[in-house]
DNA sequence: AACGTTGGCGTCAACGTTGACGTCAACGAT
DNA sequence: ATCGTTGACGTCAACGTTGACGCCAACGTT
């Protein structure tokens, strides 16, 4: 035959109904051992494989999950995608991937595309101002795991790192190293309510009292180049800067490079702390001190949360808050 | 209604048949302007969206493409995935992604999963010894773009960089810098017939004659750690090594780190050339001299080749060979 | 007036699988 | 012998959409 075998072909070969073949394929029971052997032999001979498209039309389950992020070239992401895909594969699922460039319109387009293809659920790093669309899809019945944000809606679970604590750890580390004139670089696309790192950092400074000056703040894109620009902005606000906390490692690396370019030694003249702990951070000189976000842990928790949503939807879910830790290297 | 609207719902609201609604949705013609307006209004009101699963069951087209690679944490890959996804999105397609860990059994599993979900085509970085399975899927009718290898089969097109030329450029660069005792690090998973870089490198040395010694070779995993191990292997074969060409940038960075750890200065004592041109290569010290593989170009060519296969399958395709260039920085 | 053409519809039967329910022979209990 | 139960099947009708083909009124040509 010049087309792929179907249940009907297998059934025809064995002399049973397609329904019976479906029972064997799906291990449903309700067939004799003899029938089972014959069906499996025919499956092998005809190279039958279930058509997941036809199956999805009936069961509304496609065996796929979607991963929606900002930009895949952010090194944090591929490691996470590998983790998520590994766990999804264990559950017999195939992964869609789409990046949104942190644009809510593109995220809406991606979610629409996934919804139209009956994905079993999605793991989303939300774009700015996209809670409404996430809530909408949750209400429509799409299981959604939101990462690094809080959305309360049916079928939505949240998994996030304790980023305020990360900010506090960074602040305390810089203070204990004797830094007194500090700055924080936050993400350009983050609204104030999502600047957890900055909030924790500033809170820790306030708690500590002491002789440090009030910290200055800047914004930057999540790239090395962004970090260079963020450094320049901080410096213009506080020329005798001696400590920096950046919201991700690429930005921190950029700040380090800009510091070096301006004749300041890291960490002698200025200490830098990042947040992520990407591999690159161990290879640059000096090696970056950073707040480690455990991607393996995040992958596991996100996929587990999605599995729970898929199996038992429309149940109330408490956010899962993952701990962070400071990894002290050379830059601070 | 507590379920998503279908063509039937829209048809019922307007008072036409579902087929007519389908004609409007798909811009097929064969309807009056008045009918079109009514249908579009009803679509808006009912928030109708085509069910891509149902559509795929009939048309055998799902509007999805699959990307199959080794490991997403290889920095070359995410940049490529962004490019491919961007181009796919322009064509209204959604991207599956799966990594295989360069394992042919996992690649077979991935292809089976994609095939069962009626992907329109796949772009594959082949795992070792996987030509047979690729040929098999090509014969079954799956459009396949193979990257960095050559597979001749129906429905298969190949896109690859001129890696032998990359090897030659690296060799000539090192020679012109006065290096005379050189080594090449190839991929552990590459069979001899796929060591294009090494072959080009050695060929250029043979052509050049001169007073350089025959190069030594080593194998390494595609990571910084792999590069450190590869460097050690080369060094054991040639203790007065003064030039290295690595098959990717991470390996080159690892070699640089190992050289520094052994007290050798890069490039003074030992010059290092990589291949890829990942972003990290510009940020490490010294910045890496490398053979640049243009990912934007590769994404475009791969997606274009896949589009051609999808639109006109079972046609003979000449491999697309992309040029490479040497980017001279500080390490060589 | 008759005939051929054609636009704007509609009908029908898939596509491959599965949920809901039906049939029937074999078996144990009475 | 009769009856109720049950395992091992089978039948039927979706699921939502589309390809193939049919119908019919309107129109132009003869």
């Amino acid at each position: 035959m010049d087309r792929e075998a179907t249940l009907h072909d297998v059934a025809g070969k064995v002399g049973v109904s397609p329904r019976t073949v479906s029972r064997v394929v799906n291990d449903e029971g309700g067939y004799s051992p003899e029938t089972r052997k014959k069906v499996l032999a025919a499956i092998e001979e005809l190279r039958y494989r279930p058509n997941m498209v036809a199956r999805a039309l009936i069961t509304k389950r496609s065996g796929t999950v979607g991963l929606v992020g900002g930009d895949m070239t952010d090194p944090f992401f591929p490691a996470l995608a590998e983790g998520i895909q590994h766990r999804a594969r264990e559950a017999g699922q195939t992964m869609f991937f789409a990046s949104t460039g942190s644009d809510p319109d593109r995220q809406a387009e991606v979610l629409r595309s996934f919804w139209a293809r009956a994905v079993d659920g999605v793991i989303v790093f939300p774009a700015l101002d996209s809670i409404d669309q996430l809530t909408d899809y949750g209400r429509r019945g799409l299981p959604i795991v939101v990462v690094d944000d809080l959305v309360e809606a049916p079928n939505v679970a949240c998994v996030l790192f304790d980023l305020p604590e990360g900010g506090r750890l960074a602040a305390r580390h810089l203070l204990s190293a004797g830094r007194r004139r500090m700055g924080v670089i936050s993400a350009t696309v983050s609204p104030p309510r999502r600047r957890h790192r900055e909030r924790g950092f500033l809170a820790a400074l306030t708690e500590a009292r002491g002789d440090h000056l009030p910290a200055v703040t800047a914004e930057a894109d999540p790239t090395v180049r962004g970090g260079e620009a963020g450094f320049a902005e901080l410096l213009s606000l506080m020329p005798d800067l001696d400590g920096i906390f950046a919201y991700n490692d690429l930005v921190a690396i950029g700040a380090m490079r800009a510091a070096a370019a301006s004749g300041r030694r890291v960490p002698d003249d200025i200490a830098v702390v990042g947040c992520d702990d990407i591999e690159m951070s161990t290879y640059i000189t000096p090696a970056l001190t950073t707040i480690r976000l455990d991607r393996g842990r995040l992958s596991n928790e996100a996929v587990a949360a999605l599995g729970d949503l898929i199996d038992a939807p429309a149940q109330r879910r408490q956010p899962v808050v993952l701990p962070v830790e400071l990894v002290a290297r050379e830059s601070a």
Side-chain angles (χ1 to χ4, degrees), chain A:
Chain A
M1 77 175 66
D2 62 343
R3 59 165 180 76
E4 301 287 296
T6 70
L7 283 175
H8 288 86
D9 300 312
V10 177
K13 191 152 199 79
V14 175
V16 295
S17 77
R19 191 66 189 87
T20 296
V21 176
S22 179
R23 288 192 177 97
V24 173
V25 166
N26 290 304
D27 257 325
E28 286 175 38
Y31 47 83
S32 70
E34 187 183 322
T35 296
R36 182 172 185 277
K37 283 179 66 179
K38 288 174 179 171
V39 167
L40 292 181
I43 286 175
E44 199 72 20
E45 180 191 334
L46 298 178
R47 296 181 67 192
Y48 165 76
R49 289 290 174 189
N51 184 315
M52 301 303 291
V53 174
R55 181 179 283 180
L57 187 52
I58 295 216
T59 62
K60 313 295 187 194
R61 291 286 188 92
S62 60
T64 63
V65 296
L67 174 63
V68 187
D71 188 326
M72 206 55 166
T73 58
D74 182 325
F76 184 81
F77 234 120
L80 189 65
E82 282 288 328
I84 290 174
Q85 189 208 191
H86 184 71
R87 303 290 295 188
R89 177 167 159 265
E90 286 174 349
Q93 287 169 318
T94 302
M95 189 173 81
F96 277 110
F97 159 74
S99 53
T100 63
S102 298
D103 174 32
D105 288 339
R106 277 177 57 189
Q107 182 179 291
E109 176 191 308
V110 165
L111 290 174
R112 182 183 313 137
S113 174
F114 284 179
W115 180 247
R117 290 174 175 80
V119 298
D120 295 344
V122 296
I123 296 173
V124 182
F125 287 72
L128 184 57
D129 286 336
S130 61
I131 290 185
D132 285 348
Q133 60 177 267
L134 293 172
T135 299
D136 181 49
Y137 278 103
R139 285 205 180 113
R140 287 158 87 174
L142 178 65
I144 303 175
V145 170
V146 171
V147 182
D148 279 350
D149 206 351
L150 287 172
V151 175
E152 288 199 44
N155 296 306
V156 176
C158 302
V159 180
L160 35 78
F161 285 106
D162 190 349
L163 296 174
E165 176 65 4
R168 285 193 286 274
L169 289 173
R172 291 188 193 122
H173 185 76
L174 289 169
L175 283 174
S176 73
R179 310 299 165 166
R180 294 290 176 268
R181 289 159 170 63
M182 289 174 275
V184 189
I185 307 180
S186 295
T188 309
V189 297
S190 285
R193 73 171 187 82
R194 279 185 64 181
R195 295 185 178 189
H196 311 293
R197 302 166 181 79
E198 180 179 315
R199 193 160 46 254
F201 188 86
L202 298 181
L205 293 189
T206 301
E207 284 168 24
R209 300 192 184 298
D211 60 341
H212 57 277
L213 293 181
V216 290
T217 67
E219 294 182 356
D221 289 336
T223 59
V224 169
R225 194 103 355 133
E228 288 165 352
F231 175 83
E233 193 180 334
L234 288 183
L235 211 54
S236 75
L237 295 170
M238 184 177 281
D240 55 346
L241 202 64
D242 65 4
I244 296 176
F245 175 48
Y247 73 91
N248 84 14
D249 281 9
L250 289 180
V251 172
I253 291 171
M256 285 171 59
R257 287 169 57 82
S262 74
R264 293 172 174 78
R265 293 166 299 159
V266 176
D268 301 77
D269 301 317
I270 194 163
V272 181
V273 180
C275 185
D276 264 346
D277 193 27
I278 60 177
E279 196 174 355
M280 188 193 283
S281 299
T282 64
Y283 301 139
I284 46 137
T285 305
L288 183 69
T289 292
T290 188
I291 303 301
R292 182 163 192 265
L293 309 182
D294 188 336
R295 289 172 229 95
R297 181 77 186 272
L298 178 58
S299 309
N300 290 347
E301 296 286 348
V303 172
L306 190 58
D308 289 346
L309 281 175
I310 290 174
D311 290 345
Q315 264 190 359
R316 279 212 147 307
R317 311 273 166 187
Q318 285 299 323
V320 177
V321 182
L322 304 177
V324 299
E325 61 175 328
L326 182 125
V327 179
R329 293 199 182 96
E330 299 164 347
S331 66

